[in-house]
Amino acid sequence: MIENHQKFMDLAIEIAAKGGRKTFPNPKVGAIVVKNGKILATGYHHEAGAPHAEVDALNKITGHAEGATLYVSLEPCCHFGKTPPCTERIIKEKIGLVVCAMEDPNPLVAGKGFEALERSGIEVIKNINNSEARELNKEFIHFMHFNKPFVTLKIASTLDGKIATSSGNSKWISGEESRKYVHRLRSEAQAIMVGVNTIIKDDPQLNVRLEKHSEYIPRFILDPELCIPLKAGVLNDDGREITHLITSTTADSDKIKAIRSLGAEVHQLPQRDGVFNHEELLNYLGQMGMISLFIEGGGNLASGFLKHNAVDRFLLFMAPILLGDPDGIGFYKNRKCENITDGIKMNLVQSRQFGQDIFLEYRKETE
């Protein structure tokens, strides 16, 4: 029986992933209704504001779910939000058994959904394929615990740790296969962030360029002195989602007006000695509902987040190149360590090969 539960839950989690970044700031959730060993319907949360996974599945079989088993990758909600409580619909349809992968970390739910189902006489089995479900919604879980986004930093470097030559040239350190995978990673994020020097130097599009998938994602530019050129592509492209400029409280007001007239948003945050406080920055983004942030370039931006231990996931694409350039640009600097033990410790999650590049994924080591 446990094997059957695991099999159906594997499928529910796989279906949940279809929601992608459109579910943010909600979690990705999948559901399957099974009766007499046969799947009656599947469903998932398509996007924020849309029916939840359980309702999406039950809508396809109204009146035929009595006594069935509902597999769902996250605890059913029991409160009114943009949609009614899923627990009420499950009870109304007379589901006989609910099998769930994990408890919802949202304090509005956090076990209360299970209690509502059990009070109505529905049997509940918990923690089936829990680790897989938690991995799928790592950003949402992090946000519920800390009220700030889960930060992923992506770096492409040479074997000797350089992201550009002393002249600033960086195209292309990583190979085509790596760059294609980066677009897939972008497509999974709620927002992307770069430093203004990347905009000035490369004028990137900062969109997702994949077959059958081409869309812009919210873009945050860290620009303390508001140096961005008004002709920059991220301020002038068609069909974009809004570009966000994060600058200081003393930035030029006329330029702020000019940038806003182009459709971008400008956020002014205080600085100390010319530097943003990373904790305050992330808390501010959290207040905006940002639960997932994907950071790309450049060296100053990467160094700042690493120096303040503000990176939750570190992705390194290491190319088979040795520059040997003493003035080449590295991705981590301006942090003094007397001992190896003073360094930031991270855990290796996976390693892969893309063409001749080695891809390494690390997660922040937790206490």
Side-chain angles (χ1 to χ4, degrees), residues 248-265:
S248 69
T249 53
T250 59
D252 183 80
S253 59
D254 289 335
K255 190 165 185 181
I256 290 175
K257 291 179 182 177
I259 290 171
R260 285 175 173 161
S261 72
L262 293 172
E265 292 191 4

Side-chain angles (χ1 to χ4, degrees), residues 229-278:
L230 294 179
K231 64 180 181 180
V234 292
L235 297 179
N236 295 281
D237 50 13
D238 295 328
R240 68 187 184 281
E241 293 194 50
I242 293 176
T243 293
H244 300 261
L245 272 293
I246 299 177
T247 190
S248 69
T249 53
T250 59
D252 183 80
S253 59
D254 289 335
K255 190 165 185 181
I256 290 175
K257 291 179 182 177
I259 290 171
R260 285 175 173 161
S261 72
L262 293 172
E265 292 191 4
V266 180
H267 309 267
Q268 294 181 270
L269 299 180
Q271 293 178 304
R272 295 183 181 88
D273 300 322
V275 178
F276 290 114
N277 179 295
H278 286 70

Side-chain angles (χ1 to χ4, degrees), residues 27 258 320 336 348:
K336 293 183 179 180
L348 179 65

Side-chain angles (χ1 to χ4, degrees), residues 34-45:
V34 177
K35 193 170 184 178
N36 298 324
K38 295 182 179 181
I39 295 176
L40 299 184
T42 65
Y44 68 96
H45 186 42

Side-chain angles (χ1 to χ4, degrees), residues 146-194:
F146 302 106
N147 296 312
K148 58 185 179 181
F150 181 93
V151 176
T152 295
L153 172 64
K154 187 278 295 183
I155 292 291
S157 85
T158 62
L159 291 175
D160 49 343
K162 305 299 182 183
I163 62 174
T165 65
S166 54
S167 66
N169 179 258
S170 61
K171 291 187 177 179
W172 294 100
I173 288 177
S174 57
E176 184 177 352
E177 291 184 34
S178 293
R179 297 197 300 273
K180 185 175 181 179
Y181 187 64
V182 168
H183 281 278
R184 178 177 165 187
L185 292 169
R186 281 184 187 178
S187 74
E188 297 170 353
Q190 186 181 9
I192 185 172
M193 175 179 282
V194 300

Side-chain angles (χ1 to χ4, degrees), residues 61-273:
I61 52 167
T62 301
H64 300 284
E66 184 175 353
T69 298
L70 172 67
Y71 293 87
V72 60
S73 59
L74 184 71
E75 177 184 6
C77 69
C78 54
H79 66 286
F80 279 91
K82 292 183 178 180
T83 59
C86 293
T87 51
E88 289 187 2
R89 179 63 183 276
I90 294 168
I91 294 167
K92 179 181 178 182
E93 296 287 347
K94 299 181 179 180
I95 292 290
L97 169 66
V98 172
V99 180
C100 191
M102 62 173 286
E103 181 179 293
D104 190 337
N106 186 339
L108 293 174
V109 187
K112 301 181 186 70
F114 293 144
E115 292 172 4
L117 295 174
E118 289 172 333
R119 282 198 305 269
S120 73
I122 297 175
E123 182 184 357
V124 176
I125 297 177
K126 311 168 189 175
N127 297 319
I128 299 295
N129 295 12
N130 179 274
S131 60
E132 292 88 344
R134 294 182 67 83
E135 175 63 20
L136 177 69
N137 280 309
K138 55 186 177 295
E139 298 96 342
F140 176 75
I141 295 169
H142 180 274
F143 184 78
M144 284 295 121
H145 287 158
F146 302 106
N147 296 312
K148 58 185 179 181
F150 181 93
V151 176
T152 295
L153 172 64
K154 187 278 295 183
I155 292 291
S157 85
T158 62
L159 291 175
D160 49 343
K162 305 299 182 183
I163 62 174
T165 65
S166 54
S167 66
N169 179 258
S170 61
K171 291 187 177 179
W172 294 100
I173 288 177
S174 57
E176 184 177 352
E177 291 184 34
S178 293
R179 297 197 300 273
K180 185 175 181 179
Y181 187 64
V182 168
H183 281 278
R184 178 177 165 187
L185 292 169
R186 281 184 187 178
S187 74
E188 297 170 353
Q190 186 181 9
I192 185 172
M193 175 179 282
V194 300
V196 70
N197 288 337
T198 296
I199 300 296
I200 294 171
K201 178 177 173 293
D202 298 331
D203 196 22
Q205 298 177 58
L206 299 181
N207 61 352
V208 177
R209 298 187 295 279
L210 294 173
E211 186 178 353
K212 297 181 180 180
H213 186 125
S214 180
E215 64 178 55
Y216 290 97
I217 63 178
R219 299 164 294 198
F220 286 82
I221 317 299
L222 208 59
D223 188 357
E225 305 302 324
L226 208 60
C227 298
I228 190 169
L230 294 179
K231 64 180 181 180
V234 292
L235 297 179
N236 295 281
D237 50 13
D238 295 328
R240 68 187 184 281
E241 293 194 50
I242 293 176
T243 293
H244 300 261
L245 272 293
I246 299 177
T247 190
S248 69
T249 53
T250 59
D252 183 80
S253 59
D254 289 335
K255 190 165 185 181
I256 290 175
K257 291 179 182 177
I259 290 171
R260 285 175 173 161
S261 72
L262 293 172
E265 292 191 4
V266 180
H267 309 267
Q268 294 181 270
L269 299 180
Q271 293 178 304
R272 295 183 181 88
D273 300 322

Side-chain angles (χ1 to χ4, degrees), residues 302-364:
S303 291
F305 273 84
L306 286 168
K307 180 179 179 180
H308 292 90
N309 200 18
V311 174
D312 301 295
R313 183 172 67 154
F314 178 51
L315 308 180
L316 176 62
F317 293 84
M318 194 160 52
I321 303 170
L322 287 165
L323 286 182
D325 184 344
D327 297 318
I329 301 171
F331 62 82
Y332 191 20
K333 55 188 177 181
N334 299 327
R335 183 177 189 266
K336 293 183 179 180
C337 290
E338 292 186 4
N339 302 298
I340 293 296
T341 53
D342 295 332
I344 297 172
K345 297 177 177 63
M346 308 201 88
N347 294 318
L348 179 65
V349 174
Q350 65 162 316
S351 61
R352 296 174 61 180
Q353 186 168 347
F354 292 101
Q356 291 297 306
D357 300 337
I358 299 298
F359 168 69
L360 302 168
E361 177 180 352
Y362 293 90
R363 300 283 175 86
K364 179 188 289 187

